[in-house]
Amino acid sequence: MHQENDREKNRREEMEKRQVRNEDLQKPFHFADRLNEHIKKKGSAICVGLDPRMKQIPSFIKEKHFGHYKNAMVAAAESIIEFNKGIIDAVADLVPIVKPQIAFYEMYGSEGVRAFEETCWYARDKGVLTIADTKRGDIGSTAEAYAKAFLGQVDLPDSSGGSQEVFSFDCDAITVSPYLGWDGIKPFVDQCRRFGKGLFILVKTSNPSSGDLQDLKVEEVGSVYELMAQYVESWGADDVGESGYSYVGPVVGATYPEQLEKLRGLMPNSIFLVPGYGAQGGTAEDVAKVFDSNGLGAIINSSRGIIFAWENSDTFTEKDYAAAARAATVEMAKDLRGE
Amino acid sequence: MHQENDREKNRREEMEKRQVRNEDLQKPFHFADRLNEHIKKKGSAICVGLDPRMKQIPSFIKEKHFGHYKNAMVAAAESIIEFNKGIIDAVADLVPIVKPQIAFYEMYGSEGVRAFEETCWYARDKGVLTIADTKRGDIGSTAEAYAKAFLGQVDLPDSSGGSQEVFSFDCDAITVSPYLGWDGIKPFVDQCRRFGKGLFILVKTSNPSSGDLQDLKVEEVGSVYELMAQYVESWGADDVGESGYSYVGPVVGATYPEQLEKLRGLMPNSIFLVPGYGAQGGTAEDVAKVFDSNGLGAIINSSRGIIFAWENSDTFTEKDYAAAARAATVEMAKDLRGE
């Protein structure tokens, strides 16, 4: 039998603990209803993008971990975990949801992916929902594996030669690419329905070249992105919660406000995930029309503008990076309210 | 300072060793030239899909590891690593390249991703190229992170307060989704050019609903997939190697042989990654026209038909899973040669 050291033992116990979920944190069951409750409770529809670029993580954090671990990837992971916990602690009462982008974790290999896991678990403990920003998309059997990995349960042998189902990443929602059509989407819908999770499908993305494919004019129908919007609406139509929203929604960039407005009309029952506010150029005015009269219907993402707010601040130094993030979140909430 | 146990020490030393690359394994530098050399040397254009579904991994492997590690995710990862090493040992002299699909590893969290890393490193040691089948796609800054994670180098602080660049997954190639257009592709092309790596972009995928988006008729142009093919040809046109092929190629399913033939004509300088042979229904006849007169121009993927060949065999039991994989590979090579 492998002799675990303290670190390995702690990690295994943490993972076992995660299998017994705090059911209060899962209510309401329907993802859209749960997200909307969080939006109302926190008083904002802000999604904080946890994109921990190593160069911008404060030096005092990096010095501590790189001085403590010989394995540089472990030190990188521990730096990311500490940084993210500081951000989550600072904003947990102000925002309903956070969105770690897995690329910035995969940079540091499997250790980086461990930092992604621990970030998601910590967010849940602090009463904040999580979107795994992975933009996954593949054929049916592979999509099923992704959906089980990030949203559902995976099978493992148990000690009696049978099988057990355990939670893996157990995020609340995930971003998905629609290039492969319904086969690549259905497995995610199945896991969402079974475990009360959510799905955000790329429709009109925030980047400059999003038009290369998304703006192509399809004969007799309209643009690709308009057709994708119709697909998203139909794919979620069977699964509308009590708040009137489905757990299937689109990703639509703040940087294309005209299309955002048009798409709002095409997907009345979807919660929009809106990237592009702040660092990419989108403004509060650009996104105003995406909300319903109750302030619901969308979550607006900001990453660098919040988590690295200290860099552009006269008031805060890197030691106060978390307080700076809180201040930037308060500012963004005011901005979105039109104050 | 954290006191490493043997396992942690071995892992760190392995990662440090990986930073000093065996330059012979990187030749030729241009990915298409290197792949074509491997195809010629091994005598086949077979790509083995390493999709290690836990239920189908032989029990004798699982019993060993689940009896040895208290942490079930660690046991799952070790089972996958042992299984994959057996497959690679059995086929390394017969195939140029393997393609682990990361979803099946992400199912087991960060431990599963460690199994992905160790599989890729082992394949390289055995003289086999690797495609990270991740189908990544995101905006520029995020795509850059993905490209550095899987193909290039990532930045880490060094002990003198400066920065060092280290290899992370260091795969030979990656699959990418084109939904976001050029912004999501360019960062991958940059890493390919810098590190002699390759890129396979989804064009016409093998699954039943691939037509939902890919077959849409774009006004005055043709279908979305034909337009994507033109993009792929142009994105790779500047980077053709001595063998006449670019390091940018398409993913085109064997299950759509008519489109495969049409696309061959649209992308004369691309190496095609062709999934769908075998378990999904594609045949040798379906893919015959994708090869040039030298037998180059494509790699044909098979996953379940090779790695779980023992399940459909009268000759091999699960204990001989690796020998069964070798036999299936030999059969597939004959089939592709039209014998």
Side-chain angles (χ1 to χ4, degrees), chain A residues 106 110 117 136 138 183 209, chain B residues 106 110 117 136 183 209:
Chain A
E106 284 177 337
S110 56
E117 280 169 343
R136 296 292 183 256
D138 214 311
D183 296 342
S209 76
Chain B
E106 285 178 336
S110 56
E117 280 169 344
R136 297 293 183 254
D183 296 342
S209 75

Side-chain angles (χ1 to χ4, degrees), chain A residues 16 19 153-167, chain B residues 54-55 66 70-73 108:
Chain A
E16 286 166 0
Q19 300 307 318
Q153 289 179 324
V154 302
D155 62 287
L156 281 171
D158 68 20
S159 44
S160 59
S163 190
Q164 54 173 333
E165 300 270 312
V166 304
F167 287 106
Chain B
M54 190 60 57
K55 285 200 156 86
F66 282 85
K70 279 179 112 170
N71 184 325
M73 294 306 210
Y108 304 101

Side-chain angles (χ1 to χ4, degrees), chain A residues 17 37 43 50 56 76 115 122 144 166-167 180 185 191 202 211-212 232 235 261 266 268 284 300 332 335-336 339:
Chain A
K17 191 182 97 178
E37 283 305 306
L50 296 175
Q56 292 171 281
Y122 192 78
E144 185 183 356
V166 304
F167 287 106
L180 285 84
I185 300 295
Q191 296 299 312
L202 301 184
D212 284 357
V232 167
W235 290 338
E261 195 178 344
L266 290 178
I300 313 299
M332 181 177 171
D335 191 34
L336 291 177
E339 291 167 23

Side-chain angles (χ1 to χ4, degrees), chain B residues 80-335:
Chain B
I80 288 171
I81 291 166
E82 177 171 335
F83 176 78
N84 284 350
K85 284 182 171 180
I87 298 290
I88 291 168
D89 283 345
V91 304
D93 62 317
L94 299 177
V95 309
I97 196 162
V98 292
K99 181 172 74 68
Q101 166 45 262
I102 204 169
F104 296 102
Y105 301 76
E106 285 178 336
M107 284 182 81
Y108 304 101
S110 56
E111 284 295 324
V113 176
R114 179 176 66 80
F116 183 96
E117 280 169 344
E118 298 198 18
T119 293
C120 291
W121 297 341
Y122 192 79
R124 171 167 293 162
D125 289 346
K126 296 292 170 179
V128 177
L129 300 176
T130 53
I131 302 173
D133 192 5
T134 53
K135 298 190 176 73
R136 297 293 183 254
D138 214 309
I139 66 172
S141 51
T142 305
E144 184 183 357
Y146 277 133
K148 288 179 168 179
F150 286 97
L151 303 179
Q153 289 180 323
V154 302
D155 61 287
L156 282 171
D158 67 19
S159 43
S160 58
S163 189
Q164 54 172 334
E165 299 271 312
V166 304
F167 287 105
S168 184
F169 288 94
D170 198 16
C171 297
D172 291 286
I174 190 171
T175 52
V176 172
S177 172
Y179 193 74
L180 285 83
W182 174 238
D183 296 342
I185 301 294
K186 180 182 189 302
F188 289 97
V189 170
D190 290 345
Q191 296 300 313
C192 287
R193 191 175 285 141
R194 189 173 162 198
F195 291 99
K197 302 297 179 85
L199 180 54
F200 293 99
I201 303 174
L202 302 184
V203 169
K204 177 61 181 168
T205 59
S206 57
N207 56 306
S209 75
S210 72
D212 285 357
L213 173 53
Q214 298 161 32
D215 289 1
L216 296 175
K217 289 278 176 284
V218 180
E219 288 175 6
E220 297 169 30
V221 174
S223 60
V224 163
Y225 77 81
E226 285 171 300
L227 190 64
M228 291 315 308
Q230 292 174 29
Y231 277 139
V232 167
E233 176 68 10
S234 70
W235 290 339
D238 290 342
D239 299 291
V240 175
E242 296 196 7
S243 58
Y245 286 96
S246 165
Y247 53 67
V248 181
V251 179
V252 183
T255 42
Y256 295 99
E258 274 188 37
Q259 290 88 334
L260 186 57
E261 195 178 344
K262 187 189 312 189
L263 290 166
R264 180 75 269 177
L266 290 178
M267 292 174 284
N269 299 114
S270 298
I271 300 179
F272 283 39
L273 168 57
V274 182
Y277 171 94
Q280 289 181 52
T283 67
E285 197 181 344
D286 292 332
V287 308
K289 295 201 169 100
V290 78
F291 295 105
D292 67 21
S293 53
N294 298 315
L296 301 177
I299 44 177
I300 314 299
N301 189 72
S302 178
S303 176
R304 286 166 280 190
I306 288 178
I307 71 175
F308 300 127
W310 66 270
E311 288 187 323
N312 293 324
S313 168
D314 300 321
T315 330
F316 297 105
T317 64
E318 69 160 44
K319 268 213 162 294
D320 306 312
Y321 77 95
R326 183 179 178 83
T329 303
V330 169
E331 272 311 299
M332 181 177 171
K334 281 188 190 159
D335 191 35

Side-chain angles (χ1 to χ4, degrees), chain A residues 39-50:
Chain A
I39 289 171
K40 285 184 262 186
K41 183 164 94 168
K42 306 300 177 77
S44 90
I46 293 172
C47 176
V48 177
L50 296 175

